[in-house]
Amino acid sequence: MIRQLTIRLVLLLWGIAALVSSALSLALWILTVTSLVLYGVWIGIPLSLAAIWLTRQLAGLHRRCYTILFGYQLPVPYLPVAQQGVVALVRTTLRDPATWRDLAWLVLDSTVGLALAILGVVEAVFDLLLWFLPAGLSLRLKAVLAVLLLGPTETSRLAVRVGELAQSRAETVDTQSSELRRIERDLHDGAQARLVSLGMTLALAETQLDHDPAATRALLSEARATSSAALAELRDLVRGIHPPVLADRGLAGAVEALALTVPGGIETHLDVPVRLPAPVESAAYFATAEALTNAIKHGNASRICIALSYRDERLLITVFDDGRGGAEAGMGGGLRGIQRRLSAFDGALTISSPPGGPTRLDMVLPCASSSPKTLPSSGTA
């Protein structure tokens, strides 16, 4: 009894909210028509852009409400803006089919939707008093009509996906260019400088070989130390590009070796029984290493756990720490770098890091295995 009464009260409130929403749609439609009439003077253009923006906000509110109330999945259908600036924004907005579908929905919601909302309120009142009318029928019909226009078409889905891939490709190219410049800089300032110094030392030793053997031995000892330092720098540089352990032992073995380098140890749960394509393993390894660095450097964590698993051609990576939390993917930060690495493979990063902790990073990389793995893939570091 109480439950049925609660449902009917909720339907009444929902009907009132739908009525207010349709009234807002009517007001926006009047504003849109007025802006078109005023296109002859300067006020018409900004007024129409404001009407389009307000329509998008109201349509977005309806998408979220219908997703919550009915379970309709309504992704944002708008095309991404490829270039910066007001002109590009206006051009993309006016060429976007979703803009005109929003306006069509605005007309529908301010007329048929308004009538259905009024009928829905009447239904809810009579249902609350007499308990015999089908609950929420008109409001459900209003929702169905809205979904037909507010949901993205296949064309808009494809256009949005193309835009996302183009942005991901641009970010990946920028990242690779930065990485190449870093490698060039490290070679020039590190190993190359040491090799030049080595050549000069050997040349000096050659001139003193006959008349000063003691000085020659000292120079040769210095040359040996320089060559050892140059070799160590080259190894570090190669390890930063593609760790040898990753090629030898695969992703699970490389992550396990990475965990062993941290003082105090890290809990690991590794279940990757197959070898993955080398680019995927490399992206996953460096994403895990970056997440681990963030946990140690910024999280002040006492416990860190890394979990890897491969299921249904998807690589799942979880990095958990009990640190201070508050992590977010800001511009240029480590987490933003992880997002760029994963997006190049159509992957995703989910962050859960409330202030005070804990922090959990969930990374997903869709990929097919390349070959069976020969080493065990589970253990605890």
Side-chain angles (χ1 to χ4, degrees), residues 192-369:
Q192 179 178 330
R194 291 188 182 276
L195 291 175
V196 171
S197 175
L198 175 61
M200 295 174 63
T201 302
L202 290 175
L204 183 59
E206 185 179 9
T207 61
Q208 297 183 359
L209 179 61
D210 295 330
H211 61 275
D212 195 348
T216 301
R217 282 194 296 270
L219 290 172
L220 291 176
S221 178
E222 180 183 345
R224 184 172 61 251
T226 302
S227 65
S228 298
L231 181 60
E233 289 188 356
L234 287 174
R235 285 174 176 170
D236 291 338
L237 183 61
V238 171
R239 188 178 297 110
I241 299 173
H242 190 80
V245 67
L246 189 60
D248 296 338
R249 300 175 55 189
L251 179 60
V255 170
E256 188 174 14
L258 179 66
L260 289 172
T261 63
V262 178
I266 294 177
E267 182 181 352
T268 58
H269 302 278
L270 311 176
D271 183 17
V272 187
V274 295
R275 286 302 299 264
L276 304 176
V280 174
E281 287 190 337
S282 179
Y285 173 81
F286 284 110
T288 304
E290 185 64 43
L292 180 59
T293 300
N294 282 351
I296 297 174
K297 184 177 179 180
H298 304 294
N300 194 24
S302 60
R303 175 175 176 264
I304 301 176
C305 178
I306 300 177
L308 271 68
S309 63
Y310 182 74
R311 297 286 184 276
D312 300 326
E313 296 191 345
R314 293 197 312 163
L315 177 64
L316 309 177
I317 308 171
T318 299
V319 179
F320 171 88
D321 71 80
D322 61 354
R324 59 190 177 190
E328 57 183 15
M331 293 300 294
L335 296 181
R336 180 57 182 156
I338 293 176
Q339 285 183 329
R340 285 197 297 265
R341 287 187 185 275
L342 299 181
S343 64
F345 298 90
D346 204 17
L349 168 66
T350 303
I351 304 171
S352 174
S353 183
T359 295
R360 174 174 174 148
L361 305 182
D362 291 299
M363 295 168 267
V364 181
L365 270 171
C367 58
S369 63

Side-chain angles (χ1 to χ4, degrees), residues 170-189:
E171 291 181 346
T172 301
V173 170
D174 290 341
T175 302
Q176 290 176 342
S177 298
S178 300
E179 188 69 10
L180 288 174
R181 287 193 296 269
R182 181 191 67 82
I183 294 172
E184 181 182 7
R185 184 173 61 252
D186 291 347
L187 285 173
H188 181 272
D189 298 339

Side-chain angles (χ1 to χ4, degrees), residues 58-139:
L58 185 60
L61 178 62
H62 277 71
R63 291 187 187 95
R64 292 190 292 272
C65 290
Y66 293 145
T67 300
I68 295 173
L69 293 173
F70 299 108
Y72 294 124
Q73 298 298 321
L74 294 175
V76 177
Y78 306 117
L79 297 177
V81 181
Q83 301 176 350
Q84 300 292 331
V86 178
V87 176
L89 175 62
V90 173
R91 185 187 301 114
T92 303
T93 300
L94 295 180
R95 291 179 178 178
D96 193 344
T99 299
W100 305 104
R101 287 169 61 86
D102 281 353
L103 293 177
W105 163 79
L106 195 67
V107 176
L108 183 68
D109 193 57
S110 60
T111 53
V112 178
L114 182 61
L116 289 174
I118 296 173
L119 183 58
V121 172
V122 174
E123 280 182 359
V125 171
F126 274 92
D127 185 50
L128 187 62
L129 297 176
L130 304 177
W131 290 35
F132 70 90
L133 290 175
L137 181 61
S138 297
L139 297 179

